[in-house]
Amino acid sequence: MIRYLLPLALFLAIVSFLAVGLNRDPRIVPSPLIGKPAPAFSLTSLTAPDRRLTLADLQGRVVLLNVWATWCVACYAEHPFLLEIARSGRFPIYGINYKDQRPAALSWLERLGDPYVASIFDPEGELALDLGVYGAPETFVLDANGVIAHKHIGPITPEVWQDSLLPLLNALEPRG
Amino acid sequence: MRALMLILTIALGVEASAQDSVFEEREFADAVQEQRFRALTNELRCLVCQNQAISDSNAGLAAQLRDEVYSMLIAGASDEEIVEFMVSRYGDFVLFRPPLRGHTWVLWFGPFVLLALAFGYLFHQIRRRGTSPDGDDGEEHPPGHLAEPEPRLEERTDA
């Protein structure tokens, strides 16, 4: 009996490992920064070049920090939904304008609408490097103390919002 | 002889160009530093094009990370500090060789455990086959003693 059961068990073990392993998206690299304070920075605001933004500007509330760029096609796809989140007014969205050019980024916001409370202008990707950003769009959830609670890689879709981001945001900042 | 020289020249030429950075010209204080830069950028994985090292990727992020490694090297950081800098931002994924930790134990030693199990099973089978030619009778025979052919067929027809 064992001589039939053992290969079967081995086969099932391999199949279950493959089922888990092959269904993972290798492009999604888990961030080691979850649960750690967001890095300090001092960069100019995209819309107000003479104003400097720092981590203190993001603290005090639960915020979304969205990495975007005009060269990023998925950001274009994500943009209308960000506007929707912004319109609901519950959670402020800050942007990191990533490796972009100021005029292009400004005209993007003018043309498509600006969902951001403010966008941090990061043309060299220095803040992005400290945040372990490796593409756009990426979205971080920061709690009121500026601790990174979550990182979403790829565009925020209504499904992502309903299934993962909103429950987390509600847990961090109960409605009331 | 000339053909050999030609082959050597081409081979060495190709070798030399493979050693140089494909993307940027960089100045190093000495050969050791240059060697360290090469080793580090070969060990760090590009996150955009995941099966390339940052040394041979022309993705923007790879270039940025090469710059970062370079400026840290010039500023006198140790190899460990540079690796730690990258790991703290991008996780173990930036390393082509995952470090030995609790949860990577299976990754590092699992194959050897499986190999040992497979060999164990193999030897077990060989021993069994060696002592009892028909394998499954379950009886122990002294080494070198050939089992007498058992009258199985007759038994079955009798029964």
Side-chain angles (χ1 to χ4, degrees), chain A residues 3 26-27 29-30 32-33 98-99 124-126 128-130 132-134, chain B residues 47-48 50 60-61 64-65 68 85-91 93 121 136:
Chain A
R3 62 191 297 181
R27 286 165 301 176
V29 181
L33 292 165
Y98 176 54
K99 294 187 181 174
E124 306 296 332
E126 48 184 292
L129 177 69
D130 285 341
V133 169
Y134 62 91
Chain B
L47 286 102
V48 181
Q50 297 187 340
L61 183 71
Q64 190 188 0
L65 295 186
E68 203 60 45
F85 176 90
M86 294 297 171
V87 170
S88 68
R89 284 158 179 74
Y90 292 103
F93 193 84
Y121 180 71
D136 268 327

Side-chain angles (χ1 to χ4, degrees), chain B residues 11-51:
Chain B
L12 290 175
V14 168
E15 174 67 13
S17 65
Q19 292 260 314
D20 289 333
S21 169
V22 200
F23 302 107
E24 306 101 352
E25 290 286 321
R26 292 184 194 277
E27 303 264 330
F28 293 95
D30 52 40
V32 178
Q33 198 177 52
E34 187 168 357
Q35 183 48 44
R36 284 174 59 208
F37 178 76
R38 210 165 271 159
L40 281 165
T41 52
N42 279 329
E43 280 294 316
L44 293 168
R45 186 203 294 254
C46 170
L47 286 102
V48 181
C49 30
Q50 297 187 340
N51 288 327

Side-chain angles (χ1 to χ4, degrees), chain A residues 10-73:
Chain A
L10 271 175
F11 173 73
L12 290 177
I14 292 171
V15 165
S16 49
F17 272 112
L18 288 178
V20 173
L22 294 179
N23 280 314
R24 281 192 186 164
D25 187 343
R27 286 165 301 176
I28 294 177
V29 181
S31 172
L33 292 165
I34 308 302
K36 307 230 169 88
F41 63 92
S42 172
L43 289 162
T44 63
S45 155
L46 174 68
T47 47
D50 42 355
R51 193 182 145 216
R52 286 211 160 250
L53 296 168
T54 65
L55 185 56
D57 291 302
L58 308 182
Q59 285 165 328
R61 284 201 66 183
V62 178
V63 298
L64 294 159
L65 186 56
N66 174 252
V67 181
W68 66 282
T70 56
W71 47 261
C72 157
V73 182

Side-chain angles (χ1 to χ4, degrees), chain A:
Chain A
M1 198 58 182
I2 183 108
R3 62 191 297 181
Y4 299 109
L5 280 181
L6 193 67
L8 182 67
L10 271 175
F11 173 73
L12 290 177
I14 292 171
V15 165
S16 49
F17 272 112
L18 288 178
V20 173
L22 294 179
N23 280 314
R24 281 192 186 164
D25 187 343
R27 286 165 301 176
I28 294 177
V29 181
S31 172
L33 292 165
I34 308 302
K36 307 230 169 88
F41 63 92
S42 172
L43 289 162
T44 63
S45 155
L46 174 68
T47 47
D50 42 355
R51 193 182 145 216
R52 286 211 160 250
L53 296 168
T54 65
L55 185 56
D57 291 302
L58 308 182
Q59 285 165 328
R61 284 201 66 183
V62 178
V63 298
L64 294 159
L65 186 56
N66 174 252
V67 181
W68 66 282
T70 56
W71 47 261
C72 157
V73 182
C75 301
Y76 184 84
E78 180 188 46
H79 197 81
F81 193 65
L82 290 182
L83 285 169
E84 221 172 281
I85 298 171
R87 260 198 300 275
S88 82
R90 230 187 116 202
F91 298 101
I93 310 174
Y94 284 83
I96 298 178
N97 182 234
Y98 176 54
K99 294 187 181 174
D100 212 342
Q101 282 158 352
R102 204 186 287 270
L106 286 172
S107 79
W108 158 294
L109 291 182
E110 200 170 312
R111 199 156 41 90
L112 302 172
D114 186 352
Y116 306 106
V117 177
S119 274
I120 302 155
F121 184 56
D122 190 11
E124 306 296 332
E126 48 184 292
L127 170 58
L129 177 69
D130 285 341
L131 280 167
V133 169
Y134 62 91
E138 285 183 9
T139 303
F140 295 86
V141 176
L142 306 190
D143 72 11
N145 300 316
V147 172
I148 299 170
H150 181 71
K151 174 183 183 182
H152 176 72
I153 293 159
I156 299 176
T157 59
E159 293 76 37
V160 169
W161 179 251
Q162 280 303 332
D163 297 343
S164 79
L165 287 178
L166 195 55
L168 173 73
L169 290 163
N170 280 330
L172 287 173
E173 189 175 277
R175 200 191 282 268

